[in-house]
Amino acid sequence: IEAADVKGFAARKADAKTRGKLRGIGTATFLEITAPAGNELGGLKFETDGSVTMVTGTLDYGQGHASTFAQVVVDKLGIPFDKLKLFQSDSDEVTGGGPTGGSRSTMSSGTAMIAAGDKVIENGTKIAAHVLEAAEQDIRFAEGRFTITGTDRSVGLLDLADRLHKGAVKLPPESPQSLDAKLTTGNVPSAYPNGCHICEVEVDPDTGVIEIVKYVTVNDFGTLVNPMLVEGQVHGGVMQGIGQALTEKTVYNEDGQLVSGSFQDYCMPRADNGCSFVFRSHPVPTKGNPLGIKGCGEAGCAGSIPSIMNAVVDALWDLGIKHIDMPATPSSVWQAIQGASH
């Protein structure tokens, strides 16, 4: 409410009236469930060129998984970001895990990467103890290095991997023979992201055209691994909601033939249908996964559709219009106004 300056709405509405526009404000709070139950694969493979390959079941086709998963591994193992790459789309390697969907990817694959990182540390501790000639219980791992407690003797994780690849380390049979890890995690509990969207619109009563002039959203997605990607997800979801609320309409003729079957006839939302969104975060980390994160993929759409339609109805309320169906196209809004004025 503070971010949207709700107290100043009356003055903005009065100003709009002087310009011949009808201004309305709409609020919607949402609570959704993300990450349906399922197992997920997490793998880390140390390559001969010094890079590390991340393997998991979720597929990055634009959401930014490669960056997000890499951030998780960087924090866990201290591996430089530019040394990490995401391997996907090969079912011989991806032997388990679920798809990308239901806002589950970072919750499930991120948890799997944490588990794989723990296994790398476990393997590395045993190998480092042999290399450093120390007892395993005296080895500590931090910031990418295995160190003998109380000394300055240490070996870096990537240095250890390089030595193993070059055959410079002879390990006893009972020791892990590599740092690589590949495992499947159990069901990660679902999480419950929530938030509030407040939208303001101006309606031109002469044409029925609706302009979104102010938009504020405050969300609880738990821990934000990559705030920029999260904000981008919300922006995309809000635009999708704008499309459903205001522009996208399937039309059939009397014979049941679809006549809005191409983008010439079916109006997708464009940048000029939106505005400069205000994004705020109020994170309450979940205890259901080690990262404390909640999904954000559908959140923009969940909050935008009702807030936009509430704003449209609020703008038309003084004309006696208490309801309007989606999509609130210029034609349908104009017809509603004409019907109310007669």
Side-chain angles (χ1 to χ4, degrees):
I1 288 174
E2 291 176 2
D5 185 23
V6 172
K7 291 182 178 179
F9 173 71
R12 294 192 294 274
K13 181 174 182 177
D15 174 70
K17 187 175 182 179
T18 65
R19 295 181 280 107
K21 300 292 182 68
L22 307 173
R23 192 164 180 130
I25 189 168
T27 302
T29 55
F30 74 90
L31 169 71
E32 62 165 337
I33 181 171
T34 59
N39 298 330
E40 189 51 71
L41 174 70
L44 293 168
K45 183 178 180 182
F46 291 77
E47 308 289 359
T48 56
D49 63 358
S51 65
V52 179
T53 300
M54 304 176 292
V55 182
T56 189
T58 57
L59 187 66
D60 183 358
Y61 46 87
Q63 301 92 333
H65 296 352
S67 296
T68 306
F69 300 163
Q71 288 179 257
V72 172
V73 176
V74 167
D75 286 350
K76 182 68 178 178
L77 297 178
I79 297 172
F81 185 88
D82 60 1
K83 294 289 186 181
L84 291 157
K85 55 187 178 182
L86 178 62
F87 179 89
Q88 52 188 13
S89 303
D90 186 338
S91 56
D92 286 337
E93 290 288 337
V94 182
T95 55
T100 293
S103 292
R104 65 178 292 279
S105 297
T106 307
M107 291 175 60
S108 299
S109 290
T111 297
M113 287 299 163
I114 291 288
D118 286 333
K119 186 63 177 177
V120 168
I121 294 172
E122 179 185 332
N123 291 345
T125 298
K126 297 179 187 301
I127 297 171
H130 177 77
V131 170
L132 296 173
E133 300 178 334
E136 184 180 328
Q137 59 268 26
D138 291 334
I139 301 297
R140 296 291 179 268
F141 180 80
E143 298 180 355
R145 300 191 70 82
F146 295 96
T147 304
I148 302 175
T149 303
T151 75
D152 60 358
R153 293 184 59 210
S154 66
V155 60
L157 178 61
L158 293 182
D159 181 34
L160 194 59
D162 184 57
R163 294 190 197 186
L164 290 170
H165 282 305
K166 291 178 178 177
V169 179
K170 295 189 180 299
L171 297 170
E174 67 274 12
S175 170
Q177 300 300 301
S178 80
L179 295 168
D180 296 350
K182 189 175 182 180
L183 47 82
T184 300
T185 58
N187 290 341
V188 176
S190 295
Y192 299 86
N194 55 91
C196 178
H197 291 222
I198 299 181
C199 174
E200 285 188 41
V201 301
E202 285 189 357
V203 179
D204 184 339
D206 295 328
T207 63
V209 171
I210 297 171
E211 180 185 2
I212 295 177
V213 292
K214 189 178 179 68
Y215 199 99
V216 176
T217 173
V218 180
N219 304 277
D220 166 24
F221 298 132
T223 302
L224 302 186
V225 177
N226 190 312
M228 181 181 70
L229 289 178
V230 170
E231 187 170 350
Q233 286 279 347
V234 172
H235 285 184
V238 171
M239 286 304 300
Q240 187 176 359
I242 289 172
Q244 184 169 338
L246 302 182
T247 72
E248 300 182 52
K249 185 176 183 179
T250 51
V251 180
Y252 296 86
N253 65 16
E254 294 179 355
D255 298 323
Q257 175 64 46
L258 179 67
V259 296
S260 57
S262 77
F263 291 144
Q264 273 191 305
D265 310 300
Y266 184 88
C267 185
M268 294 287 284
R270 306 186 310 178
D272 59 359
N273 292 117
C275 64
S276 183
F277 306 123
V278 176
F279 175 88
R280 296 286 184 270
S281 182
H282 180 73
V284 180
T286 178
K287 297 179 181 179
N289 62 73
L291 294 169
I293 58 178
K294 305 172 184 179
C296 71
E298 293 84 11
C301 202
S304 60
I305 296 170
S307 66
I308 293 166
M309 293 308 297
N310 284 343
V312 172
V313 171
D314 184 60
L316 302 175
W317 193 267
D318 292 342
L319 300 180
I321 300 171
K322 311 300 184 184
H323 172 80
I324 190 165
D325 288 330
M326 295 189 294
T329 62
S331 175
S332 62
V333 171
W334 184 84
Q335 290 179 32
I337 293 173
Q338 296 308 302
S341 62
H342 291 91

